[in-house]
Amino acid sequence: MAGRKALILAGTGMLAGLAEVLTREGWHVVLPSRRYHPLDCEVRPGEAARRSMRPPGHRPFRDGTIRPWGGGKAIWVEAHWDRPRELAAKAEMALRGQADLLVAWIHEQYRRSVMGAVESLLADGAPVVEVRGGLSGTGAAEPPDPLLPLHPTQVVQLGTVSGYDAHRSLAQAEIGEGVLEAVRRALDGHATSTHQIGQLRPMVR
């Protein structure tokens, strides 16, 4: 996978585990979000180095200690969902080429505008993994609705409680594992499909 590029759109830190896995496997990963979130595999520069970084709102993550698969890198880009064109422009600069993978976990309010803005950044036929929330405001499950029909999409449908224990809420680790599995399927060339993580029912107390 060395040399391939991924664009991950999610709230600060929500898919950090996936970004770390891809980075260790040699991917160039771009992470637009409102706030900076360090990765565990990052070698954190000192304050002088931080001050010398340009432009503002653009910080590289450097995987200088763990490079078993060629050592990729991750770049955080300061961006806001309500400014989709600006987000896309910043992501394009950081990618330095078309993305081979898009992973998106975006609030419904901004989903269509942001996905539409970044579509042109994707390579032809690049797979998409999209994480969708569990229940809508009416209490019904959100139906799968891939927004980029020219790109095979693995839709990850989140439940409301853990798939292992209905007494527990759906944990971040469980979500991360499910999203990574969907990414593997996407990169293996699977057609558009939906994956359920957790259970869609009230928590048992």
Side-chain angles (χ1 to χ4, degrees), residues 6-26:
L7 177 60
I8 298 181
L9 303 173
T12 304
M14 292 171 71
L15 292 177
L18 172 64
E20 290 170 9
V21 170
L22 293 178
T23 300
R24 289 191 175 103
E25 294 183 0

Side-chain angles (χ1 to χ4, degrees), residues 148-168:
L148 307 181
L150 298 181
H151 299 271
T153 301
Q154 305 299 312
V155 178
V156 177
Q157 188 81 40
L158 299 183
T160 51
V161 297
S162 171
Y164 306 107
D165 183 353
H167 296 270
R168 293 191 294 110

